[in-house]
Amino acid sequence: MKDARRSGCPINLTLEILGDRWSLIVLRDMMFGNRRHFRELLTKSDEGIASNILADRLRRLVEEGLISKADDPSHKQKSLYSLTEMGIALVPVFAMMGAWGRRFLPVTEELSIRAELLEDGGPALWDDFMEELRAIHLGAPRPARSVFGELQAAYEATVARRLTAAAC
Amino acid sequence: MKDARRSGCPINLTLEILGDRWSLIVLRDMMFGNRRHFRELLTKSDEGIASNILADRLRRLVEEGLISKADDPSHKQKSLYSLTEMGIALVPVFAMMGAWGRRFLPVTEELSIRAELLEDGGPALWDDFMEELRAIHLGAPRPARSVFGELQAAYEATVARRLTAAAC
DNA sequence: CTTAACCGGTTGCGATTTGCAACTGGTTGA
DNA sequence: TCAACCAGTTGCAAATCGCAACCGGTTAAG
């Protein structure tokens, strides 16, 4: 993964930053799972990223300006990773990728419920979500609506439903 | 690049197919550059893909169902690659990725003019474009509007403008 | 008919990247 | 005091990438 510019095409430049198997996974967990610390990202991910890969991706994403790193005041050793505006602006990309994946790939219900809401909500919901992410990650004023809460609640409801069904 | 399912998340599953530096480049050239043959994809790409990588990606994309391969009746050795509906459905993903890249990365004017039109045109233009791609790649009836033509014309106008400016 | 250009790849090889597991030095809370 | 937790680092084998040279067959021009 070198950083030599292959061309000035927006798709190409985007792929030079995000075109691998892990970068968007890390961003997804920060964005939709509110994972902000190394250990959270390492252990609470369904895909099981290796610690050296995670360290490398975080460093690279900081370098490229998609996330930022700061000390967590509550713990001398904790680092707090935050999305920047550049990272937050990926919401529509995630929405479209999620919609595409949901349509063509063998997704599981509980892991695709967020993608479904994001797709159904459209640009208005994306904007609300980005506004909330700016509050969470950039210290902007917190908006009235919590899209994050809605997505999380829907996810948890789906998990609960599965557990109930399994118990019967 | 193994194909073991890491999770049923739509983002993850999408990345397992498209999460590398070349797959989307190949699809971009087929979609926006109308490259349909191996040699075209190999030589007419700004990024300069290697032939073994191209062969591997084409094989993989066929396997995954994003493109199809057929004999070109005009030449016994030519293969004709076509987008499937699954590939055509990536138009909104490209649009959003292009918009993001254009906003945050050092794109060149002539290579981002298509992304600009795609962004400004919105879902209505994407639908028209997908309809046209279905005509080109799947033999569907050709729609009245040619978004492909519009994108191509805008690109060529930008190139021409640059040449004129350079001549002055 | 000859021949050069073109066709879709394949092969070999060194360099890079990945994935795994064990480990490090320091911090915190019980 | 000590176990759990913190953000990574290190070493190593396997897979992948990127480059360049090459292949047998086909086509079009002379």
Side-chain angles (χ1 to χ4, degrees):
Chain A
M1 239 190 233
K2 47 184 171 191
D3 45 339
R5 296 269 160 65
R6 301 186 300 188
S7 88
C9 167
I11 298 298
N12 174 58
L13 291 171
T14 301
L15 287 175
E16 291 188 5
I17 294 180
L18 299 173
D20 73 278
R21 266 178 149 66
W22 289 111
S23 298
L24 283 171
I25 295 285
V26 172
L27 289 166
R28 177 204 64 185
D29 285 349
M30 290 183 65
M31 188 177 284
F32 298 98
N34 202 33
R35 256 73 104 166
R36 308 288 297 275
H37 302 109
F38 190 92
R39 231 48 183 199
E40 279 181 312
L41 287 162
L42 185 66
T43 59
K44 293 184 185 168
S45 156
D46 288 318
E47 289 86 9
I49 191 171
S51 58
N52 54 343
I53 308 281
L54 176 59
D56 178 75
R57 291 305 181 279
L58 286 171
R59 184 184 52 73
R60 209 170 294 214
L61 290 172
V62 168
E63 242 174 56
E64 299 289 351
L66 284 91
I67 63 177
S68 65
K69 179 181 178 175
D71 291 338
D72 185 331
S74 78
H75 189 303
K76 277 185 187 169
Q77 271 184 319
K78 267 187 178 172
S79 286
L80 185 69
Y81 289 97
S82 302
L83 293 170
T84 62
E85 181 61 31
M86 191 177 178
I88 291 170
L90 284 172
V91 164
V93 176
F94 276 112
M96 288 309 188
M97 282 183 62
W100 185 84
R102 221 164 60 79
R103 178 169 167 200
F104 293 101
L105 303 174
V107 300
T108 59
E109 190 194 356
E110 56 190 78
L111 291 179
S112 60
I113 180 70
R114 287 190 183 89
E116 185 179 347
L117 291 183
L118 219 56
E119 184 179 358
D120 293 345
L125 182 136
W126 307 343
D127 284 341
D128 288 347
F129 186 40
M130 289 191 283
E131 205 49 46
E132 186 179 10
L133 289 173
R134 283 184 201 105
I136 298 174
H137 293 262
L138 304 175
R142 195 162 292 264
R145 179 183 186 187
S146 172
V147 174
F148 182 86
E150 294 171 28
L151 297 177
Q152 195 62 20
Y155 168 71
E156 281 162 15
T158 310
V159 173
R161 189 142 39 84
R162 179 172 56 73
L163 291 174
T164 311
C168 292
Chain B
M1 240 190 231
K2 47 185 172 189
D3 45 337
R5 295 271 159 66
R6 301 185 300 188
S7 87
C9 167
I11 298 298
N12 173 57
L13 291 170
T14 300
L15 286 176
E16 290 188 6
I17 293 181
L18 299 173
D20 74 278
R21 266 179 150 67
W22 289 111
S23 298
L24 282 171
I25 295 285
V26 172
L27 289 166
R28 177 204 64 185
D29 285 348
M30 291 184 65
M31 188 176 284
F32 298 98
N34 202 35
R35 255 72 104 168
R36 308 289 296 274
H37 302 110
F38 189 91
R39 232 44 182 207
E40 279 182 312
L41 288 162
L42 184 64
T43 59
K44 294 184 185 169
S45 156
D46 288 318
E47 289 85 10
I49 190 171
S51 58
N52 54 345
I53 308 281
L54 176 58
D56 177 75
R57 291 305 182 278
L58 286 170
R59 186 185 50 74
R60 209 170 293 211
L61 290 171
V62 168
E63 242 176 58
E64 299 289 352
L66 284 92
I67 64 176
S68 66
K69 180 182 179 177
D71 292 337
D72 184 331
S74 77
H75 190 303
K76 277 183 186 167
Q77 272 184 319
K78 269 187 177 170
S79 285
L80 185 69
Y81 290 97
S82 304
L83 293 170
T84 62
E85 181 61 31
M86 191 178 178
I88 292 170
L90 284 173
V91 165
V93 176
F94 276 111
M96 288 308 188
M97 282 182 61
W100 185 85
R102 221 163 61 79
R103 178 170 168 200
F104 293 101
L105 303 175
V107 300
T108 59
E109 190 194 357
E110 56 190 77
L111 291 179
S112 60
I113 181 69
R114 287 190 183 89
E116 186 180 347
L117 291 182
L118 219 57
E119 184 179 358
D120 293 345
L125 182 135
W126 308 343
D127 284 342
D128 287 347
F129 186 40
M130 289 191 282
E131 205 49 45
E132 186 179 10
L133 289 172
R134 284 184 200 102
I136 297 174
H137 292 263
L138 304 175
R142 195 163 292 264
R145 179 184 187 187
S146 172
V147 174
F148 182 85
E150 295 171 27
L151 298 177
Q152 194 63 19
Y155 168 71
E156 282 162 14
T158 310
V159 173
R161 188 141 39 83
R162 178 171 57 74
L163 292 174
T164 310
C168 292

